[in-house]
Amino acid sequence: MALIVQKYGGSSVADAESIKRVAKRIVDTRRAGHDVVVAVSAMGDTTDELLDLANEVAPIPAPRELDMLLSSGERISMALLAMAIHSMGFEARSFTGSQAGMITDSQHGAARIVDVTPVRLREALDEGAIVIVAGFQGFNRDTRDITTLGRGGSDTTAVALAAALDADVCEIYSDVDGIFTADPRVIPKAQKLDHVSSEEMLELAANGAKVLYIRAVEYARRHGVLIHARSTFSSAEGTYVLGEGMKNPREAEGAVMEEPIVAGVATDFSQAKITVAGVPDVPGKAAEIFKIVAKSGANVDMIVQNVSATGRTDISFTVPKADAAAALKALAGEQTEVGFQNLIHDDQIGKLSVVGAGMRTHSGVSATLFEALSAGGINIEMISTSEIRISVVLRDTDLTEAARTVHTAYGLDGDAEATVHAGTGR
Ligand code: ASP
Ligand code: MG
């Protein structure tokens, strides 16, 4: 008998039928003799609809009230799910984030979990009940207000519950079968991974993969939670995300699984490139520029600086498209102080990243990437690397083709096309 935490995303509980299907799955786990704690997201697009409503009544909704509103989405799904389980003859009890002891800081809309005190959940489990917890929400002790954890926050709720209850596994259910070597909608030959390390998963998530939220993976890594990402629509096993020193549950005792050098290829269309042209090539200019950009709230990803021949240089960097306008405005406002010549904004870029822990120990990984791109006649505009990742910025129109070529070059193509169940990955 194990303690299993399961998380169901919005697409898994989109309507009454789906809720009943999920209830059955939970009951099956209970029947197998396990204790079950469930974190559930709001039904379908509820959170988006509530956000739209809020924006209709107020241009900038008050953050406290917005959290009150958004947290109601998960209260609906948790109660319905508990009812559905009840009607199947099993005891189930739903809890809001605050009832579940999900203690956060006070930052509305992006609260961080600081403590989990699941006293009531333990009691319910001891009494033999299935526990259902509203995802994405918590409670701050100082303000005594309800908070939300940021979009996609139910993954984090599930992982935090798994850590606090010392669960055997945290199963994250969505409408995709697991974690793939690439987004199957971009690369039909992408294959489901049996397992991936949490550090690779973090790089994939940070560079465009949407199956799991970064914060949840970070939390799992820090607290030693085993994640199993799998599909609500099939009983097939999904992908295990393994933290440091964790063993793949599928791995037979003693058997060594071959680690591929490259785990996956991530694509990201969400970035824009800003070039600050004609920057005086003297110490302190980069500091000035990035201080201005930081103050605008933009989150800088890649940076390149050209060599200067004329005493001036160009500095290019990427930011999320949504942050570009604020960064440009801030920079334009200080043009004379910084002394650059002009600003160029380019939102037609795409980022391709190759991620794999094997890069630490194998040479030639970057050569394979550059050769594949060159054979495809694809021009590279920026390059950046981490210990286990190589990213390049390309024209957005080249990105899909580039990703396919590179996926093939690393030997990641599967024999069959991946199944995509209208997948949003949530
Ligand atoms: N319902 C919230 C959202 O849509 C939280 C979640 O789905 O994880 O962002
Ligand atoms: Mg949702």
Side-chain angles (χ1 to χ4, degrees):
M1 169 164 143
L3 171 58
I4 298 178
V5 172
Q6 301 185 332
K7 179 258 171 174
Y8 293 94
S11 63
S12 301
V13 292
D15 50 28
E17 270 323 300
S18 324
I19 290 176
K20 286 198 260 180
R21 183 166 351 104
V22 164
K24 183 167 178 313
R25 192 148 194 153
I26 295 168
V27 164
D28 286 345
T29 314
R30 181 78 190 120
R31 276 211 183 95
H34 305 303
D35 277 339
V36 194
V37 174
V38 176
V40 69
S41 291
M43 295 171 69
D45 296 328
T46 303
T47 308
D48 291 307
E49 287 158 13
L50 292 173
L51 262 176
D52 288 346
L53 251 176
N55 289 318
E56 271 177 52
V57 298
I60 304 170
R64 177 186 183 277
E65 303 310 326
L66 193 57
D67 276 357
M68 283 300 226
L69 179 73
L70 296 186
S71 60
S72 70
E74 271 73 10
R75 283 181 81 143
I76 296 172
S77 51
M78 75 173 190
L80 289 171
L81 189 53
M83 287 174 201
I85 294 172
H86 261 285
S87 76
M88 296 169 81
F90 283 76
E91 174 65 14
R93 238 169 271 169
S94 66
F95 297 93
T96 63
S98 52
Q99 287 177 317
M102 201 56 71
I103 311 298
T104 70
D105 64 14
S106 61
Q107 218 199 320
H108 286 295
R112 286 194 175 260
I113 297 167
V114 293
D115 195 12
V116 184
T117 53
V119 184
R120 297 195 62 186
L121 309 189
R122 284 252 185 247
E123 281 169 9
L125 286 172
D126 289 344
E127 288 163 25
I130 292 166
V131 167
I132 316 287
V133 178
F136 167 65
Q137 55 184 267
F139 176 78
N140 178 260
R141 280 184 173 138
D142 301 328
T143 61
R144 287 173 292 161
D145 280 328
I146 304 289
T147 54
T148 63
L149 309 178
R151 297 309 305 271
S154 303
D155 286 6
T156 320
T157 302
V159 171
L161 289 172
L165 295 165
D166 198 21
D168 296 85
V169 61
C170 180
E171 299 182 331
I172 302 208
Y173 287 91
S174 70
D175 57 3
V176 295
D177 289 339
I179 294 148
F180 283 73
T181 51
D183 183 341
R185 280 157 297 177
V186 177
I187 305 183
K189 285 193 169 164
Q191 305 180 69
K192 186 174 79 185
L193 291 163
D194 171 86
H195 63 280
V196 63
S197 71
S198 57
E199 64 167 351
E200 288 168 328
M201 191 62 233
L202 282 175
E203 289 278 12
L204 288 168
N207 291 284
K210 292 180 195 73
V211 201
L212 290 177
Y213 270 80
I214 296 186
R215 275 205 188 175
V217 181
E218 277 169 353
Y219 201 101
R221 190 170 160 77
R222 243 181 296 125
H223 293 86
V225 173
L226 175 66
I227 293 179
H228 183 189
R230 55 192 306 192
S231 164
T232 316
F233 301 97
S234 94
S235 56
E237 296 233 332
T239 305
Y240 284 100
V241 182
L242 304 173
E244 228 149 319
M246 260 182 215
K247 225 173 158 42
N248 183 348
R250 273 195 289 263
E251 199 174 329
E253 273 308 311
V256 184
M257 283 204 158
E258 202 194 325
E259 290 298 330
I261 298 169
V262 166
V265 173
T267 45
D268 186 357
F269 286 96
S270 72
Q271 301 263 317
K273 182 168 81 171
I274 292 174
T275 300
V276 188
V279 180
D281 194 11
V282 295
K285 287 298 161 188
E288 282 177 42
I289 289 171
F290 289 104
K291 219 181 320 169
I292 296 167
V293 175
K295 248 173 72 191
S296 79
N299 204 345
V300 174
D301 181 21
M302 282 195 204
I303 301 173
V304 291
Q305 177 176 337
N306 287 347
V307 284
S308 67
T310 55
R312 285 187 183 269
T313 182
D314 297 342
I315 296 180
S316 296
F317 57 91
T318 63
V319 291
K321 277 182 181 148
D323 293 351
L328 284 164
K329 189 164 168 238
L331 284 166
E334 311 225 18
Q335 175 162 8
T336 16
E337 288 81 349
V338 182
F340 61 85
Q341 287 167 330
N342 62 307
L343 290 170
I344 305 158
H345 175 216
D346 177 357
D347 63 4
Q348 255 123 62
I349 60 164
K351 185 167 79 166
L352 170 69
S353 303
V354 176
V355 173
M359 284 182 203
R360 284 210 182 88
T361 43
H362 290 76
S363 56
V365 180
S366 50
T368 305
L369 171 67
F370 298 135
E371 271 163 28
L373 292 175
S374 129
I378 294 158
N379 187 42
I380 302 170
E381 299 181 19
M382 295 168 102
I383 303 171
S384 84
T385 63
S386 84
E387 241 191 315
I388 63 162
R389 173 184 54 82
I390 312 165
S391 299
V392 291
V393 165
L394 316 162
R395 283 296 90 202
D396 58 359
T397 44
D398 285 342
L399 183 55
T400 299
E401 187 48 38
R404 287 189 189 150
T405 310
V406 168
H407 195 264
T408 307
Y410 285 110
L412 296 173
D413 288 356
D415 302 328
E417 290 211 350
T419 345
V420 180
H421 323 267
T424 59
R426 303 309 306 154

